[in-house]
Amino acid sequence: MYHPSASVTRQSAGSVAGLLEPRRPELRGADAEAIHFQRCTWCGTAMYHRLLCPVCQGSELRTERSEGTGTVRHSTVVHRNTPAARNVSLIEMAEGFVVRGRVMGPLIGIHSGDRVRLSTVKDPVRGEPVFQLLDEPYRAWS
């Protein structure tokens, strides 16, 4: 069993170790529902829940708040382990990182390239972020 020595100082959450800061109860309103991501201090790459930068392997990551808008990159309908069908989407946020979440709306109305905004609702089962469509979900038949 590994025990750190008393002379070694431990790094706290949100420090250079790249860990996200825990949610603080004093955060209210828009900041409490925001997505927080990391940005590498060396190369500027944005990422979501990483310990090292995927580009330069740097460990100096700072936590930032996302504005909450993005674009659907991929969406699929899942029927497994749920009482009803649900969608799982990969959303590329405006800051450049990709997050997995759910988009509210008709399952056949969600397509790659649709613009979305973070909703205040959170998926109660999976804890994933939930997004809502910004544009009209109806498209012409092609």
Side-chain angles (χ1 to χ4, degrees):
M1 182 184 275
Y2 174 76
H3 295 285
S5 67
S7 63
V8 176
T9 59
R10 289 187 173 181
Q11 294 178 339
S12 63
S15 66
V16 193
L19 301 175
L20 288 176
E21 295 179 11
R23 294 211 176 204
R24 298 185 304 256
E26 66 268 9
L27 293 178
R28 301 268 194 274
D31 201 39
E33 285 92 21
I35 292 182
H36 290 84
F37 67 100
Q38 296 128 319
R39 188 175 301 277
C40 179
T41 56
W42 289 99
C43 68
T45 302
M47 67 215 77
Y48 186 68
H49 287 291
R50 295 284 184 110
L51 293 175
L52 295 175
C53 175
V55 175
C56 71
Q57 311 311 316
S59 62
E60 294 183 23
L61 308 175
R62 65 179 183 270
T63 302
E64 296 181 11
R65 181 183 180 273
S66 172
E67 69 179 47
T69 59
T71 305
V72 176
R73 285 296 159 223
H74 178 74
S75 184
T76 187
V77 178
V78 176
H79 298 276
R80 182 186 60 213
N81 298 333
T82 58
R86 63 181 176 87
N87 75 325
V88 175
S89 301
L90 292 177
I91 310 295
E92 183 177 345
M93 302 303 288
E95 293 81 11
F97 66 96
V98 176
V99 63
R100 178 182 155 176
R102 202 170 55 108
V103 179
M104 293 189 299
L107 297 177
I108 62 169
I110 301 166
H111 304 283
S112 296
D114 287 345
R115 295 182 322 136
V116 293
R117 175 176 296 282
L118 183 66
S119 173
T120 57
V121 181
K122 190 146 195 151
D123 189 346
V125 176
R126 307 226 187 282
E128 296 175 341
V130 178
F131 297 88
Q132 56 189 350
L133 292 169
L134 285 177
D135 301 326
E136 189 68 28
Y138 306 106
R139 294 178 179 224
W141 293 91
S142 53

